[in-house]
Amino acid sequence: MAECERSEEACTATLDSARAGYTLTTLAEEFRPALLRYFSRRVRQSEEVEDLVQEVLARLVRRCEVVEMEAVRAYVFETASSVLTDWVRRRRSRQADDHGVLSADQPATGDFTADRILLGRERLQRVTAALLELPERPRAVFILRRVEGMKYQDIARRLGLSLSSVEKDMRRAVLHLAERMGRE
C-alpha cells in the first residue's frame, strides 16, 4: 500500500469514486462514533481519544488505493489498530506515564535555591574540564553515547572504528570521569 503522492483533494476524489458513495465526510460521520468508543475502551487518557480518531481519518485521507465497499469497516478498524499500536509505542519510548502534569498554579517541587544552582554549575564546569582532558576520540565516543544517545554500533560506523574500539574508548572516558569527579 503506497502513500498517495497527490493532493488531499485528489485522494478524496479517489475515495469518493472508489467507494461508491463513501466520501471522506461520510466515512467520518459513519465511523467517528464507533472509533470514539473503540479508543475510549482502550485508552485511559480521554484527552487523547479525539486525537487518535483524527489520526485514523488523516491516514484514510493519505491512502488512495481502492477499498471495496464491504471491506471499508475492516479497513477503518485495521487502521485504528495501527494508530493505537503506534500511540502506545510512542508513549513507551517517551515514558509518558512517568511524567507529571505541571500547571501554573502549582510551583515546581524542586529545590532551586541559589546555592543549589551554583553547585550544579560548578559541577558542570568540572565535568566539562574532565572531558576536555580526554583525547579527542574517547571524548567524541562519550559525547555521542551519553549526550547524543547513539548506539555503539552507530558510533563505530560514524567514526570508522571497530565496535571493540568504541567500547574501550567509552570505558576509558567513564573511568577518567569517575576518577576526576571522585577526587573533587
Side-chain angles (χ1 to χ4, degrees), residues 141 144 150-164 166:
V141 168
L144 289 172
M150 290 178 70
K151 296 179 182 174
Y152 284 154
Q153 289 190 352
D154 295 335
I155 295 169
R157 233 184 334 265
R158 183 171 180 177
L159 298 179
L161 302 172
S162 69
L163 184 60
S164 175
V166 170

Side-chain angles (χ1 to χ4, degrees), residues 2-119:
E3 292 279 336
C4 180
E5 299 294 330
R6 297 174 288 171
S7 68
E8 182 176 328
E9 293 81 21
C11 287
T12 303
T14 303
L15 284 170
D16 292 350
S17 62
R19 293 188 179 133
Y22 273 101
T23 65
L24 185 59
T25 303
T26 58
L27 281 171
E29 288 171 358
E30 182 175 338
F31 292 107
R32 187 174 182 282
L35 288 168
L36 286 170
R37 285 190 304 276
Y38 175 85
F39 288 121
S40 294
R41 289 184 189 127
R42 289 162 177 80
V43 175
R44 278 185 264 154
Q45 297 77 7
S46 59
E47 65 276 2
E48 298 284 340
V49 171
E50 187 64 43
D51 291 340
L52 293 168
V53 171
Q54 291 300 318
E55 178 62 23
V56 170
L57 295 174
R59 287 187 186 186
L60 289 174
V61 167
R62 288 191 298 258
R63 296 282 181 209
C64 292
E65 63 272 348
V66 176
V67 177
E68 295 299 323
M69 203 158 68
E70 305 86 49
V72 170
R73 182 172 183 78
Y75 183 73
V76 168
F77 283 96
E78 186 64 34
T79 303
S81 176
S82 295
V83 166
L84 184 61
T85 300
D86 293 346
W87 180 79
V88 168
R89 283 187 193 135
R90 275 194 312 275
R91 286 189 60 80
R92 250 190 235 136
S93 70
R94 295 176 184 156
Q95 299 174 345
D97 292 332
D98 295 339
H99 296 192
V101 177
L102 296 178
S103 74
D105 301 337
Q106 296 175 322
T109 58
D111 178 25
F112 295 109
T113 63
D115 290 342
R116 184 166 177 216
I117 292 170
L118 181 63
L119 289 172

